[in-house]
Amino acid sequence: MDSRIRGRCIVFGDNVNTDVIIPGRYLVSIDPKELAEHAFEPLGPAVQERLRASQVVVAGKNFGCGSAREQAATCLVGVGIRAVVAKSFARVFFRNAINTGLWAVVQPEAVEAISDGDEVAIDLEAGTVEVKGRRFTFPPYPESLRRILDAGGLIPYLARYVIPQGGTANG
Amino acid sequence: MGKTFAEKVLARAAGVGETTAGMVVDVYPDLVMSHAASWRCIRTLEKLGVDRLYDPDRIAMVMDHTAPAHSAKTAADQKLCREFARAHGIRTFYDVEAGIAHVVLMENGHIRPGMVIIGTDSHSTIYGALGAAGTGVGFSEVTATWVAGYLWMRVPESIRIEIHGPLAWGTSAKDVMLKLIGEMGADGATYASVEFHGDYVAGLSVSERMTLCNLAMEMGAKFAFVPPDDVTRAYLAERGVTPDGYQEVQPDPDAVYAKTVALDGTSLSPQVACPHAVDNVQPIEAVAGTRVDQVFIGSCANAKYEDLAEAARILRGHHVAPGVRLIVTPASRGVLTRIVADGIFSALVEAGALITNPGCGACAGDGGVMADGEVTLSTANRNFQGRMGSYQASIYLASPAVAAATAIRGAIADPREFL
């Protein structure tokens, strides 16, 4: 997988919760495209339109707090978001992001520097976020997480590496 | 150097000699819980083309979020789960009549001290009330663990919370937690294992410990923990779980904590979390008088037997205010059975409550949602925008005692007025 992406940002504040990202009533679906229709619905159609025109979500601290619903990450993938850059993540959202192939990058200074609509470039291999000529670094993911992301998420990873070996870590 | 609860319990479940906060280990959970999300795991498993499970005896399924089914789609999802459980020999399967997964599993002896449990629900931290390590994950991760038996976990840093009691009349574990969440913030314990200690905690029932550990998630905790003691052992013994069926894990006295937080509960007044964030907390004096359309007594945080008993104690001899709906959703069938047997059910109905079947109910946006502009005071654990119906509705969170007083007044009220 290419370790670099470039795209337009949509910026949110602190403590964006899972019920706002994808309301509970839509959890009857696990289809990324269906879920995408309702991503950020509580914030209204103008926000949803900007979301659809973006590839990177930028947020303050504790992004994705609340429920364990994996669809909070799936709906962003469905709408075309490739990465979330935040000051910090709620732990379940972070896992769900990796597990659905969505990049979750912690870089507080970059978040401060990015404005809504900015174009950013993220390099996972190098561990950099670039915006408006400024470059911010973050520690690269551990190898184990990179392998899940590179496979496109936990389920494709499992299918490729774990199942063929008999399904358990010990073979 | 001493070890925390999290360091010890993960070392055991990962089969390694010892762990230290920050390490990443492959953990074999003792129990993998999935609730209404079970069908998503089954569909994901089908996509993988795998039919072999690591250990069906480590899987528990409870049909709780939308129970009974309210659409043909939900009915089909639940049917899929029943058939899957039968076909794969999953014996720990509870159907739509059982109630909220967490409470059902604890009440029926499936959760024991020292266990590691993952669940498709963020409030899995509740299992810490019995000295177990519970945490929420997504459905892909549960599916992967069904097959592989393990998942990676980072050994969390621990936060030690010391609570001094006793509390004043009219306050309870919910007020303690709302106060803590308000002070520490919605990310005050992110990634951390939260250990509850102190004389107040030692004196609590398992029910109140459940409220502490459940709400710890609302400050971002990965695990919550109350040290197992005689209260724990008695609770388990009542459910047929004897001490030879588990191994308690206690933190060392010289364990290293990232932070220690002290809370004096003796002068605490009832607390209320205001819309739309759980850490937007005010003492009741600041919000008393706020008009409500509905009061909801439910959820894994506060719809256990003791919670409903507390509400009934205040509601007896009173009636719900005109124009206000009081919806009571017992956490489990076990809770329902007890309140029917000892008259609490009748007392609530006579006071004007609508009692629904056990389950997640309105907390998960099922029965009891709101129209535009409406206000609910709820005993649940989340007040996020749109969680209970309209995106233009508001949710306040408080204890069962505040809920009962509020239902009587039709506006947020202090239960101490009913002393």
Side-chain angles (χ1 to χ4, degrees):
Chain A
M1 187 189 67
D2 194 348
S3 78
R4 284 166 303 183
I5 58 169
R6 173 175 286 281
R8 183 203 288 258
C9 294
I10 180 168
V11 177
F12 295 96
D14 292 339
N15 297 319
V16 173
N17 70 64
T18 51
D19 287 61
V20 163
I21 301 172
I22 186 76
R25 68 202 67 170
Y26 301 116
L27 303 182
V28 289
S29 173
I30 53 174
D31 177 58
K33 288 290 164 204
E34 257 179 67
L35 290 163
E37 306 262 316
H38 306 289
F40 283 102
E41 193 174 274
L43 300 189
V47 171
Q48 290 187 287
E49 198 169 314
R50 284 197 292 125
L51 181 72
R52 280 192 287 272
S54 307
Q55 293 74 45
V56 177
V57 165
V58 175
K61 61 176 190 165
N62 205 24
F63 184 80
C65 61
S67 152
R69 63 189 64 165
E70 188 169 314
Q71 290 96 325
T74 319
C75 73
L76 297 182
V77 172
V79 85
I81 298 295
R82 300 286 310 283
V84 183
V85 181
K87 290 185 181 172
S88 66
F89 289 94
R91 62 159 285 278
V92 192
F93 183 89
F94 181 84
R95 289 187 84 98
N96 285 335
I98 304 299
N99 289 340
T100 50
L102 176 69
W103 299 4
V105 173
V106 179
Q107 216 323 328
E109 291 170 321
V111 171
E112 291 290 345
I114 298 168
S115 309
D116 205 80
D118 279 353
E119 184 91 5
V120 300
I122 303 170
D123 189 327
L124 218 51
E125 189 82 45
T128 56
V129 178
E130 289 180 50
V131 60
K132 293 180 285 204
R134 294 178 67 187
R135 171 186 289 225
F136 304 91
T137 61
F138 59 91
Y141 283 127
E143 180 61 25
S144 53
L145 265 64
R146 260 312 288 275
R147 273 162 49 109
I148 296 173
L149 272 180
D150 288 350
L154 181 64
I155 296 304
Y157 169 82
L158 207 64
R160 192 179 306 168
Y161 298 108
V162 182
I163 306 290
Q165 290 175 15
T168 75
N170 306 321
Chain B
M1 194 173 66
K3 296 292 180 190
T4 62
F5 164 72
E7 288 168 332
K8 285 186 171 183
V9 80
L10 290 181
R12 200 269 307 150
V16 296
E18 61 171 47
T19 71
T20 303
M23 278 176 69
V24 174
V25 287
D26 283 339
V27 173
Y28 287 77
D30 303 288
L31 195 67
V32 180
M33 182 282 281
S34 56
H35 52 31
S38 299
W39 69 269
R40 298 168 203 152
C41 307
I42 298 168
R43 291 293 184 218
T44 307
L45 193 73
E46 287 170 356
K47 214 159 59 186
L48 262 179
V50 184
D51 202 34
R52 200 180 53 79
L53 302 175
Y54 175 76
D55 182 0
D57 285 345
R58 293 192 191 208
I59 297 176
M61 282 187 192
V62 188
M63 304 290 104
D64 64 3
H65 272 57
T66 41
H70 60 189
S71 69
K73 167 73 168 68
T74 309
D77 294 340
Q78 291 172 353
K79 180 164 177 266
L80 179 74
C81 297
R82 276 177 211 117
E83 290 172 354
F84 181 87
R86 207 175 304 131
H88 288 81
I90 295 166
R91 290 178 294 178
T92 308
F93 181 88
Y94 289 92
D95 217 316
V96 293
E97 77 287 351
I100 308 172
H102 304 310
V103 179
V104 170
L105 294 179
M106 294 177 84
E107 277 182 348
N108 288 283
H110 299 287
I111 309 298
R112 298 182 294 275
M115 286 175 80
V116 173
I117 301 126
I118 61 166
T120 55
D121 191 281
S122 56
H123 293 111
S124 299
T125 51
I126 192 173
Y127 303 129
L130 290 174
T135 196
V137 296
F139 63 81
S140 288
E141 201 134 37
V142 158
T143 312
T145 312
W146 279 1
V147 174
Y150 70 96
L151 75 166
W152 67 268
M153 273 195 196
R154 185 181 169 281
V155 181
E157 285 78 19
S158 296
I159 296 176
R160 186 181 171 97
I161 298 183
E162 299 265 1
I163 309 170
H164 174 54
L167 304 192
W169 194 93
T171 56
S172 63
K174 182 60 155 288
D175 302 296
V176 167
M177 286 313 296
L178 290 179
K179 179 74 180 166
L180 277 170
I181 296 165
E183 285 186 355
M184 293 176 69
D187 65 344
T190 293
Y191 289 102
S193 170
V194 172
E195 295 186 10
F196 292 102
H197 295 273
D199 60 280
Y200 168 70
V201 179
L204 290 182
S205 67
V206 169
S207 173
E208 290 166 295
R209 294 174 183 188
M210 285 163 82
T211 303
L212 293 185
C213 292
N214 182 284
L215 269 297
M217 200 289 137
E218 299 307 322
M219 20 189 217
K222 176 175 191 153
F223 300 139
F225 171 76
V226 172
D229 55 14
D230 285 340
V231 174
T232 322
R233 287 163 215 137
Y235 179 95
L236 291 163
E238 275 174 40
R239 283 149 184 87
V241 182
T242 51
D244 56 359
Y246 54 88
Q247 188 136 27
E248 292 174 12
V249 175
Q250 302 281 0
D252 293 327
D254 58 341
V256 178
Y257 293 92
K259 188 156 84 168
T260 297
V261 175
L263 180 79
D264 179 3
T266 56
S267 56
L268 192 65
S269 61
Q271 305 286 306
V272 179
C274 302
H276 300 288
V278 188
D279 60 357
N280 185 15
V281 176
Q282 299 283 343
I284 191 131
E285 294 81 1
V287 288
T290 306
R291 191 192 56 80
V292 303
D293 301 285
Q294 178 172 286
V295 172
F296 173 62
I297 301 179
S299 90
C300 47
N302 278 119
K304 297 164 266 95
Y305 173 80
E306 288 81 349
D307 299 320
L308 303 193
E310 173 77 355
R313 205 158 31 238
I314 292 167
L315 281 160
R316 268 182 219 273
H318 295 276
H319 200 275
V320 174
V324 172
R325 314 181 291 270
L326 169 60
I327 298 178
V328 178
T329 300
S332 71
R333 184 182 168 84
V335 171
L336 180 61
T337 306
R338 277 184 78 188
I339 64 167
V340 166
D342 68 7
I344 289 173
F345 189 100
S346 315
L348 293 170
V349 171
E350 278 160 23
L354 159 65
I355 303 189
T356 76
N357 62 298
C360 300
C363 180
D366 206 21
V369 299
M370 288 183 283
D372 286 358
E374 286 196 318
V375 176
T376 287
L377 182 123
S378 163
T379 66
N381 35 35
R382 281 201 185 121
N383 56 355
F384 299 156
Q385 186 183 359
R387 187 167 172 90
M388 291 174 69
S390 167
Y391 300 144
Q392 273 72 51
S394 301
I395 306 169
Y396 290 82
L397 304 177
S399 70
V402 170
T406 300
I408 295 166
R409 294 273 191 256
I412 296 178
D414 191 329
R416 294 172 297 188
E417 292 172 20
F418 295 86
L419 192 69

